[in-house]
Amino acid sequence: MYNYNMLIVLSLIAFVKGDMVPLKILNELPNQGYNGFNSPKSEDKLKLRMQPANFSGPDYLEKLKGECFKHRDPKYEYVFCPFQNITQEDIQAFYEPYKGVLGVWGQWEIKDNQFISMEMLEGSGCSAGRHRSTRVAIKCGKVTQLESVTEPDKCRYAAVFRTPSVCGSNAMVVYPRLDAELRKRWDEVSTDLYNQELTQLGYDNELERIFQAAGLRLPPSELGDLLQSAQQDKQDTDEAQGVSGSCQERMSSFQGRIKELEEEVRVKEEKIVELVMAAEGGGNQDD
Ligand SMILES: *[C@@H]1O[C@H](CO)[C@@H](O)[C@H](O)[C@H]1NC(C)=O
Ligand SMILES: *[C@@H]1O[C@H](CO)[C@@H](O)[C@H](O)[C@H]1NC(C)=O
């Protein structure tokens, strides 16, 4: 507590004394301290809260299962393992870096008869009981790579994955990949829509059921099952390790986080002292 109070006092002095002191320091620090303890880092360290769904989609993509692809930006390293998971790790942190799951393989996003993106669901906890999730768009490219990851909405990530496998014009078409019975169902609802015996909404709902029957999309009940089996796995490991093991883990994770925060505070304190001195120096020159 002493450190934070001191920082705020120092920041205020700096603010009063100099015009150019960034207010950002004052705004950021208390927040970081608070959020730090709620972050997924101290929660369950990279335990998946959902079991990945079974492989589905164009079969030539199955070879990607078991491979992982990295992408770095200045702050994070992302690792995407198709049909498994996508994770994020802070590469700027002083000590124990933040690691989080951005999603677990769940289902395909399908639009206009095309496989568009892999929907990675139920990642690490976010604010207000929500969990991170990521849409990984699968696009044609010269080399197989995770090209980018962004966060267009809070805790909703958008990634682009490229591979030469999907460059053919029919590579991502859904219809021919369904079995004869499901294709027939699709034909029927298309006819019904054409004859105005089905509304667009009714048609979309039927299509969703067809995709679920094909294993391309997850019905809510299966999503529930996958969440539950991950819970079961977690309980089994906890029991195997014994409760004290898991307490120990949490304890050392907290200690790591405390050290990290202490280091951040120290560095920022030094910065503030520097700024105060600079401001005083500048003031004297004006005199
Ligand atoms: C993500 O999937 C890869 C590939 O199967 C696996 O090695 C890794 O342990 C998974 N990550 C987590 C956090 O379970
Ligand atoms: C996933 O695959 C396993 C093994 O092939 C199978 O037993 C299980 O029913 C499949 N799960 C779903 C939801 O289709």
Side-chain angles (χ1 to χ4, degrees), residues 45-48 65-68 81 84-87 101:
K45 263 191 104 186
L46 279 198
K47 288 232 174 73
L48 301 183
K65 190 176 166 177
E67 288 193 60
C68 297
C81 307
Q84 298 283 351
N85 59 66
I86 179 166
T87 55
V101 178

Side-chain angles (χ1 to χ4, degrees), residues 149-188:
V149 183
T150 55
E151 189 181 1
D153 291 311
K154 194 161 161 45
C155 304
R156 297 289 170 260
Y157 297 81
V160 176
F161 178 78
R162 292 196 185 268
T163 173
S165 304
V166 304
C167 290
S169 58
N170 294 322
M172 296 293 262
V173 182
V174 178
Y175 182 91
R177 296 192 161 84
L178 301 181
D179 65 28
E181 193 208 325
L182 291 176
R183 287 203 302 268
K184 186 161 161 268
R185 264 173 74 183
W186 194 341
D187 293 344
E188 282 165 10

